[in-house]
Amino acid sequence: MVDYDFLRREIHALATSRHFALQEVLCDEVAALALRDARVREVRVRSMKLDVYPDARIGCEITRRRD
């Protein structure tokens, strides 16, 4: 079973420790965290900025697979 407490804690630490200018970089970092668990074969990470434009949402979604 995936340790979601670990992921939550590490994602929070990552997000509060530095500024990410690009959503793609944040998504890549979160995916790398999930793939540290050898049982995880694939991860999909989605990030949304809800407050950039009043009429649109800006987002990024990536999928990473273990080699």
Side-chain angles (χ1 to χ4, degrees):
M1 185 161 75
V2 175
D3 185 352
Y4 293 105
D5 289 332
F6 163 80
L7 283 175
R8 181 185 178 279
R9 185 174 51 252
E10 293 299 312
I11 291 168
H12 184 264
L14 183 66
T16 58
S17 68
R18 61 189 253 219
H19 172 75
F20 291 90
L22 298 174
Q23 284 181 284
E24 294 83 355
V25 174
L26 174 61
C27 288
D28 275 332
E29 295 281 340
V30 170
L33 281 172
L35 289 170
R36 284 175 34 186
D37 184 331
R39 298 168 295 178
V40 175
R41 293 183 180 175
E42 180 177 288
V43 61
R44 180 174 297 140
V45 179
R46 180 182 302 151
S47 171
M48 298 290 287
K49 290 184 177 183
L50 306 176
D51 58 352
V52 174
Y53 299 108
D55 60 343
R57 294 181 175 140
I58 305 301
C60 172
E61 180 175 306
I62 64 165
T63 302
R64 297 291 181 261
R65 292 181 184 88
R66 182 175 305 286
D67 292 335

